[in-house]
Amino acid sequence: MVVTVNENFNLIQNNYLFVEIARRVDEYQKENPDVDLIKMGIGDVTRPLAKSVIKAFHDAVDEMGDPETFRGYGPEQGYDFLIEDIIENDYKPLGIDLRNSEVFISDGAKCDTGNFQELFSQDNVIAVTDPVYPVYVDSNVMAGRSGKAGDDGFYEKIVYLPATAENNFVPALPQEDVDIIYLCYPNNPTGTTLTHEQLKEWVDYAKENDAIILFDAAYEAFIRTSDVPHSIYEIEGAKEVAVEFKSYSKVAGFTGTRCAYCVVPEELKINDSNGNKVGLTALWNRRQSTKFNGVSYPVQRTAQAIYTPEGKKEIKENLDYYVENAKLIRESLIDMGLDVYGGENSPYIWFKTPDGIDSWSFFNLLLNDAHVVSTPGVGFGPSGEGYIRLTAFNTYENTKKAMERIKQLNL
């Protein structure tokens, strides 16, 4: 008997985008050890965990050192104390009622959005916006739903919904039959948003066409505009067609702590091969309890601290800090005469490269001449060619310095 590989992995194009960026940056840094690089590419945060969060972390770790309060395996779905605070603070103020059984604590929205496709049969047709967060595409390539990639970079079995300057980064509804639609708003990478009315069109489409929306709302805490929804469940009927993913990574600086959650409403049901309706809540619970042992108790207590009065105040200060960075980046690039998008309800700023320079060439220009690390737009899909993404997650001082360096390039 011969062991054979899952050949779907061979269909994945190049390295994972952020691994490739890290590789190039490491190589450059080794060759130029004295260069002061400012990293605005990978969306990692720089501000430390809030004081109330750290205190909760310490207290929970101390509990683990006392035989009276020690905890072993926790519930795979998450502890009720955190789930109840999520419902009370993130959803009830929006007029959304959820059951504890519909909220699942995890170690990251990236993991959840990548894993959730396991619940669907291989012949489902996937639709993604383009440009797109790579995990949505790559996880479905691994699962065998994509077919091969053409010379244009598009996979033959995936439906791409271009989000470009020509349509104000609001993709048109699919013109062909699709089963699963990935949406991310505020959007990564473009930083753009959908209004209530625009998101309602997607929910209505899913209901009319028996489709499912996988809605990544990892950046909703950055929303400052009243007509932009913080949850897809603000739209009537969305519980029947949508799963929502949220994360503490950017909201509370948990990129190194790892905690997130997703909501799978019990109203959400899909067909089996015999036409019977099957609830996704129970299926996701089964998947998680089989493949995931849950987020650690100290980390969940740490996340709970975000919802205390002091925690809310501290988290808001951190968010406002990054919002100011985004404003600085956006206004600086506009002053340089560049076409700029995002940065108002999002920590991401998306801008068009000047003079038709391709994304990787401009990435190299910023790296070599301005010593600023960015993300090439083409890494998010073919429609991202000719664009660059910058993040607002560095310090204000470094952000200001980076903008001064880029300005000196006289683009």
Side-chain angles (χ1 to χ4, degrees):
M1 184 174 180
V2 178
V3 177
T4 57
V5 71
N6 176 355
E7 295 188 2
N8 293 314
F9 278 69
N10 295 331
L11 300 176
I12 298 174
Q13 301 178 77
N14 306 317
N15 289 334
Y16 180 56
L17 172 61
F18 300 109
V19 172
E20 176 62 19
I21 291 172
R23 185 192 68 77
R24 294 189 183 209
V25 170
D26 287 345
E27 185 177 284
Y28 179 83
Q29 195 82 76
K30 287 177 183 177
E31 295 174 355
N32 303 274
D34 297 328
V35 168
D36 174 29
L37 278 183
I38 299 176
K39 297 182 179 181
M40 304 174 72
I42 296 173
D44 200 357
V45 295
T46 52
R47 291 179 69 79
L49 295 173
K51 291 181 180 179
S52 58
V53 168
I54 287 293
K55 182 181 183 304
F57 214 165
H58 280 296
D59 290 346
V61 170
D62 287 342
E63 286 185 57
M64 298 297 282
D66 185 329
E68 297 298 320
T69 53
F70 171 79
R71 298 184 185 230
Y73 289 124
E76 291 87 353
Q77 187 173 337
Y79 286 100
D80 280 335
F81 62 75
L82 179 55
I83 291 174
E84 288 165 3
D85 275 3
I86 287 169
I87 294 172
E88 190 67 31
N89 291 276
D90 290 349
Y91 288 96
K92 283 193 175 179
L94 301 175
I96 300 166
D97 292 321
L98 294 174
R99 307 171 184 88
N100 283 27
S101 59
E102 297 172 312
V103 180
F104 296 80
I105 311 301
S106 75
D107 56 351
K110 174 184 176 180
C111 304
D112 287 344
T113 56
N115 292 332
F116 207 87
Q117 52 79 28
E118 293 182 17
L119 302 192
F120 305 113
S121 66
Q122 197 174 50
D123 57 358
N124 278 292
V125 177
I126 305 298
V128 298
T129 58
D130 179 45
V132 65
Y133 182 45
V135 171
Y136 310 157
V137 173
D138 291 352
S139 58
N140 280 286
V141 175
M142 295 173 182
R145 297 190 187 90
S146 68
K148 295 181 180 179
D151 294 337
D152 57 3
F154 293 115
Y155 286 96
E156 58 187 352
K157 292 183 180 180
I158 292 179
V159 175
Y160 291 83
L161 309 171
T164 63
E166 288 69 30
N167 60 18
N168 294 315
F169 297 96
V170 179
L173 297 170
Q175 297 301 304
E176 52 197 291
D177 291 338
V178 301
D179 301 303
I180 300 161
I181 305 165
Y182 286 82
L183 293 178
C184 175
Y185 287 97
N187 186 256
N188 178 16
T190 67
T192 55
T193 56
L194 296 181
T195 65
H196 279 80
E197 190 59 36
Q198 288 168 334
L199 186 54
K200 182 179 183 301
E201 291 181 13
W202 287 94
V203 171
D204 291 346
Y205 172 89
K207 291 177 69 175
E208 293 167 6
N209 293 273
D210 201 22
I212 295 288
I213 297 172
L214 300 183
F215 191 75
D216 189 345
Y219 308 100
E220 65 82 18
F222 291 90
I223 294 171
R224 296 294 184 272
T225 305
S226 60
D227 65 342
V228 176
H230 288 259
S231 168
I232 195 170
Y233 303 125
E234 293 181 53
I235 311 301
E236 185 178 356
K239 285 185 180 180
E240 301 168 25
V241 295
V243 177
E244 182 162 270
F245 306 92
K246 290 194 176 182
S247 171
Y248 298 112
S249 288
K250 310 305 191 297
V251 174
F254 273 44
T255 53
T257 311
R258 310 310 304 149
C259 194
Y261 66 88
C262 72
V263 177
V264 190
E266 293 183 359
E267 293 93 324
L268 181 56
K269 301 178 187 298
I270 61 174
N271 293 324
D272 65 14
S273 58
N274 295 316
N276 301 312
K277 292 292 183 181
V278 179
L280 285 186
T281 310
L283 290 186
W284 184 242
N285 196 353
R286 186 68 175 90
R287 188 270 173 203
Q288 292 296 83
S289 61
T290 300
K291 292 189 173 184
F292 183 58
N293 269 343
V295 177
S296 73
Y297 171 75
V299 168
Q300 291 193 57
R301 280 296 186 194
T302 302
Q304 185 188 28
I306 294 167
Y307 297 111
T308 64
E310 188 62 29
K312 289 179 180 180
K313 178 184 175 183
E314 293 168 344
I315 296 305
K316 183 180 184 302
E317 290 173 357
N318 281 348
L319 288 170
D320 288 346
Y321 183 94
Y322 294 131
V323 167
E324 284 301 307
N325 284 357
K327 180 180 178 182
L328 172 61
I329 298 168
R330 177 182 171 83
E331 292 181 352
S332 298
L333 295 175
I334 290 174
D335 287 345
M336 296 177 206
L338 298 170
D339 295 329
V340 184
Y341 309 91
E344 292 178 304
N345 293 296
S346 166
Y348 296 123
I349 298 86
W350 183 252
F351 68 94
K352 191 169 181 59
T353 61
D355 303 321
I357 303 174
D358 70 81
S359 295
W360 277 112
S361 294
F362 201 81
F363 168 90
N364 290 331
L365 174 68
L366 292 179
L367 180 62
N368 292 308
D369 294 359
H371 309 313
V372 172
V373 180
S374 62
T375 306
V378 71
F380 297 100
S383 292
E385 179 58 273
Y387 287 88
I388 291 288
R389 191 195 77 174
L390 294 178
T391 78
F393 292 121
N394 214 303
T395 65
Y396 185 82
E397 293 74 19
N398 277 345
T399 301
K400 186 176 181 180
K401 189 189 300 184
M403 293 303 100
E404 291 170 350
R405 290 181 184 178
I406 295 173
K407 186 176 182 180
Q408 290 173 5
L409 297 177
N410 294 317
L411 301 174

